[in-house]
Amino acid sequence: MLVAGFPADAFGTNCYVVATAPGEQCLVVDPGIGVLDRLDALLAEHRLHPAAVLLTHGHLDHTFSVAPVCGARGIPAYVHPGDREMLADPTKGLSADLRALFGGRLTYSEPEDVAELTDGATLALAGLEITVDHAPGHTGGSVLFRMPGAGSRWEADEVCLSGDVLFAGSIGRTDLPGGDMPAMLTSLRDKILPLADETVVLPGHGPTTTIGRERATNPYLIEVAESGDARPAAPTRGL
């Protein structure tokens, strides 16, 4: 399995491509702001042909380039219905300060073909099987994408694209519209902590990690595991 990625120009949002092998169809995950040239170069390097775009959630820094990526190739974008409205109007997920920053400065459009994700669904795309876990908290429609990791450079049983639910050492912020800290704690308890320690986590921002490493060192997971609550300072990472 081939997994490659790079941070976007804005907010350091990780854009990933996933395929069974070079020269095959692939999935593009979270094409954010200013990624088109680097994404095209990555696709050309590995001779990949996108079959769909997967969105971990609807924030602008993860979705900005979804329409041009999909439109140029006639492929669908997959998003949870809880965040669908942000594809048409990304300001719905922004704070007042961010709306003032971006207001009128960025041209944005919804992809023509949008498919909605459901919790527990298994997607068969580009020769891959991807399990969808609805994990609200950062946004109402945040999801995890899990897939077998055998054949990847990590040789892991499972790889998890965690979006802004889980980072190395932290979690996604919950203070933006649609954020919900109690829902985030439930997602961490019910969707993250049950994963195997060997699961490789590819987050929406920052470096790759593993569930075992986060279970042992991430203050939010430690508090949830011990008490069902999280007392560290409120997270601020992500858009």
Side-chain angles (χ1 to χ4, degrees):
M1 186 173 75
L2 169 66
V3 181
F6 57 89
D9 292 344
F11 301 100
T13 305
N14 291 325
C15 176
Y16 298 102
V17 295
V18 185
T20 57
E24 301 292 342
Q25 288 190 320
C26 72
L27 304 175
V28 178
V29 183
D30 288 355
I33 299 171
V35 304
L36 293 179
D37 289 345
R38 294 178 69 187
L39 177 59
D40 285 344
L42 186 63
L43 296 173
E45 176 186 355
H46 297 289
R47 309 183 314 282
L48 297 173
H49 311 282
V53 172
L54 304 183
L55 301 173
T56 61
H57 63 289
H59 279 163
L60 184 66
D61 61 324
H62 291 252
T63 68
F64 181 75
S65 296
V66 62
V69 171
C70 290
R73 299 166 177 86
I75 60 176
Y78 286 77
V79 68
H80 190 275
D83 282 7
R84 172 72 185 268
E85 65 178 359
M86 283 191 272
L87 292 188
D89 183 4
T91 64
K92 291 183 180 295
L94 301 180
S95 65
D97 289 346
L98 288 170
R99 285 197 298 271
L101 175 64
F102 287 119
R105 296 179 56 193
L106 298 176
T107 302
Y108 195 87
S109 60
E110 183 178 2
E112 292 186 7
D113 186 358
V114 178
E116 294 188 347
L117 300 165
T118 57
D119 185 37
T122 299
L123 306 177
L125 298 168
L128 298 162
E129 286 194 356
I130 303 99
T131 300
V132 179
D133 294 318
H134 184 212
H138 179 63
T139 66
S142 289
V143 300
L144 313 172
F145 294 115
R146 293 185 290 115
M147 64 195 73
S152 69
R153 64 180 182 270
W154 305 284
E155 287 296 339
D157 288 341
E158 190 168 64
V159 171
C160 176
L161 294 141
S162 64
D164 286 7
V165 176
L166 180 68
F167 304 133
S170 191
I171 61 174
R173 63 192 295 179
T174 59
D175 61 329
L176 296 175
D180 185 328
M181 192 58 165
M184 176 66 91
L185 300 180
T186 299
S187 293
L188 296 177
R189 183 193 66 206
D190 295 347
K191 301 301 174 91
I192 294 294
L193 285 174
L195 299 179
D197 283 350
E198 296 77 16
T199 301
V200 173
V201 178
L202 305 179
H205 301 266
T208 300
T209 186
T210 65
I211 291 295
R213 185 179 302 136
E214 297 311 302
R215 194 191 310 277
T217 63
N218 188 310
Y220 297 93
L221 289 189
I222 291 170
E223 287 293 339
V224 169
E226 292 180 350
S227 66
D229 193 7
R231 298 184 182 88
T236 58
R237 198 164 192 176
L239 182 59

